[in-house]
Amino acid sequence: MTKLFKAIILLTALVLSISSCTRRPLWEIEEVGARIKVKVDWTQFVERPTGMTLMFFDDNDKLTQLTTNDVDSVYVTLPEGHWRVYVFNQSVSEFGTLSFSGMDKFETPEAYVAEVVNRSWLNQMTTGAPTQRVLCEPEDLGVDIGEFEISGRMVQQYTEFRSKVKARSGSSTKADFDDSELDSVYETTAVVLYPKNVVSMLEVTAYFKGMQNLYSARASITGLAEGFYITQNRPNDTEITQILEDWTKYVDENDPTLGYVKLKSNISTFGLPGGYEDVEDLSKRDSTLNVFTMSCLLRDLKTQVDVPFYVGHKFEVEKHEIGIGTQVAISIRLVLKLEIGLESPIVLPEVPPATGDNASGFDATVDDWEEGETVEIPM
């Protein structure tokens, strides 16, 4: 091998080595786009959260995800094009009762309850015992959806702005600036979101005759929705059962044999499966779609009366008008009101009080009930 040939090889290797270490300035390889602002107004949610997650999708379902503690507004840089976004409170990992799926596409995100509740007394009921999974209550979930455009002109203005900032700072690779400076360049606010609670409240009242015989009560209801399709803005189609165990007893002042029990606090639920396309006329629903079973322990502390009702047609829905600036919108938060035995009260048999028992007491969480009779009163 000649000396000239060796020199050529060494020179080629040196050039390749130098070129392999050459880096383009970071600003040259950044994705071209414009920096925009998203505002979020939480006044229609139950509380101002400590964090939020925004999911941005272009028309090809390319996802840009942002989780932040700045819950009032946030800046994000996105390429030119049409964008859709949805927001929800907190991050997916911060929910204790909810799980999420389908988050990689705009049309498929779903929040659902995954925590199973074990209540052996449900299986002991001879009538009305649920065959569905028994799940806990969902946490509050605030959601809103929006869309916006990033124009080529916005991208050009942002690129020119960054070049000016680099020249100002004397750097060819960094453009350090305060986001608020962009407001003088173009309209940075691309969309304003107004999250509302997609969790419904179940309010239940049950009326009795023979009220003096009631010691405590607990209940279950079948046929509720397991979760919520976030961007479809409706409950999902999977049916589950929820339990209702914390009741307050009210006795008629003029007739102690009459009265009612009411949940101490409303039960949170994702509502009725499939949504509320015909919320004005739920009375046409199949009554067997939801079975409410009231399980009563009588004052002898031995007799148990299980009373199932078919209530699929008994729900009332409250819609609330929400003022947003000069506009009025309908909140998607619903209250499902259910009244049991209003026209035909649940009749409790006469039993003697237990020895040493205070018949006026009311304990809604007695666990060791003996198996009792079942009285079926379909409605």
Side-chain angles (χ1 to χ4, degrees):
M1 183 180 294
T2 66
K3 293 183 178 180
L4 178 60
F5 186 66
K6 290 181 179 179
I8 292 174
I9 293 177
L10 290 173
L11 180 62
T12 302
L14 178 62
V15 170
L16 291 175
S17 175
I18 294 173
S19 63
S20 66
C21 295
T22 300
R23 291 189 177 183
R24 297 172 61 192
L26 293 177
W27 62 269
E28 291 184 0
I29 63 174
E30 285 181 351
E31 186 176 29
V32 176
R35 192 160 179 80
I36 56 97
K37 184 178 184 179
V38 178
K39 293 182 179 180
V40 185
D41 184 337
W42 293 96
T43 57
Q44 310 306 326
F45 190 51
V46 293
E47 63 181 358
R48 186 176 182 273
T50 58
M52 67 177 180
T53 298
L54 297 109
M55 309 286 279
F56 299 90
F57 294 85
D58 66 10
D59 287 341
N60 295 317
D61 260 344
K62 181 180 179 181
L63 168 64
T64 299
Q65 179 177 340
L66 180 61
T67 300
T68 176
N69 293 326
D70 298 324
V71 298
D72 298 316
S73 65
V74 65
Y75 284 86
V76 60
T77 305
L78 298 170
E80 176 185 354
H82 173 253
W83 290 87
R84 295 171 294 177
V85 59
Y86 66 86
V87 63
F88 59 91
N89 55 303
Q90 310 305 348
S91 64
V92 294
S93 62
E94 290 180 290
F95 288 92
T97 60
L98 299 182
S99 295
F100 294 81
S101 65
M103 306 293 278
D104 58 335
K105 295 184 181 299
F106 182 80
E107 301 294 341
T108 59
E110 178 185 7
Y112 59 94
V113 181
E115 185 177 342
V116 178
V117 177
N118 181 20
R119 291 293 187 272
S120 59
W121 60 269
L122 288 172
N123 300 323
Q124 296 172 2
M125 296 188 297
T126 56
T127 300
T131 57
Q132 305 159 352
R133 288 186 305 147
V134 182
L135 300 183
C136 67
E137 299 179 54
E139 299 161 76
D140 291 322
L141 178 64
V143 172
D144 196 21
I145 308 164
E147 59 182 323
F148 57 92
E149 298 280 345
I150 294 181
S151 67
R153 177 60 178 160
M154 293 170 63
V155 173
Q156 179 182 354
Q157 290 173 314
Y158 182 58
T159 302
E160 293 173 351
F161 169 77
R162 285 177 56 84
S163 297
K164 292 179 181 179
V165 173
K166 290 171 186 174
R168 181 183 70 189
S169 63
S171 171
S172 62
T173 60
K174 294 182 65 177
D176 293 327
F177 61 91
D178 190 296
D179 282 319
S180 61
E181 294 184 58
L182 279 171
D183 293 335
S184 62
V185 179
Y186 55 84
E187 176 55 49
T188 56
T189 300
V191 64
V192 182
L193 302 173
Y194 300 88
K196 293 169 284 291
N197 200 352
V198 300
V199 174
S200 297
M201 301 304 295
L202 179 60
E203 178 182 326
V204 184
T205 304
Y207 296 85
F208 290 88
K209 184 175 182 179
M211 192 68 169
Q212 74 280 8
N213 294 299
L214 180 63
Y215 184 80
S216 62
R218 53 196 178 190
S220 67
I221 184 168
T222 68
L224 297 179
E226 173 202 46
F228 193 87
Y229 293 127
I230 293 175
T231 55
Q232 297 179 40
N233 193 30
R234 68 176 181 88
N236 71 7
D237 303 307
T238 304
E239 298 182 356
I240 56 93
T241 293
Q242 286 188 235
I243 56 174
L244 306 86
E245 292 186 297
D246 200 3
W247 300 82
T248 300
K249 178 179 178 180
Y250 299 89
V251 179
D252 190 298
E253 294 181 358
N254 300 317
D255 186 348
T257 67
L258 301 177
Y260 62 93
V261 296
K262 189 173 184 177
L263 287 170
K264 288 185 178 179
S265 60
N266 292 342
I267 298 296
S268 63
T269 169
F270 280 122
L272 303 177
Y276 303 89
E277 296 179 359
D278 189 17
V279 297
E280 301 296 340
D281 199 5
L282 290 178
S283 63
K284 294 182 179 180
R285 291 182 78 241
D286 184 351
S287 64
T288 63
L289 290 175
N290 301 93
V291 181
F292 174 89
T293 303
M294 176 64 74
S295 189
C296 306
L297 179 65
L298 303 190
R299 63 180 181 176
D300 62 358
L301 302 185
K302 295 186 297 182
T303 305
Q304 177 182 334
V305 178
D306 299 326
V307 191
F309 294 85
Y310 301 112
V311 297
H313 62 309
K314 287 288 185 179
F315 292 99
E316 297 179 12
V317 178
E318 292 183 359
K319 297 185 297 182
H320 301 278
E321 290 188 349
I322 301 287
I324 301 175
T326 59
Q327 304 296 318
V328 175
I330 301 298
S331 171
I332 56 178
R333 182 173 171 81
L334 302 171
V335 178
L336 302 177
K337 299 180 67 174
L338 186 60
E339 292 188 316
I340 303 297
L342 179 59
E343 299 175 356
S344 300
I346 300 171
V347 179
L348 299 177
E350 183 68 30
V351 296
T355 303
D357 177 59
N358 182 358
S360 64
F362 194 73
D363 180 3
T365 57
V366 177
D367 292 325
D368 299 324
W369 293 9
E370 297 183 11
E371 185 174 349
E373 61 178 311
T374 297
V375 180
E376 185 171 356
I377 309 177
M379 298 183 63

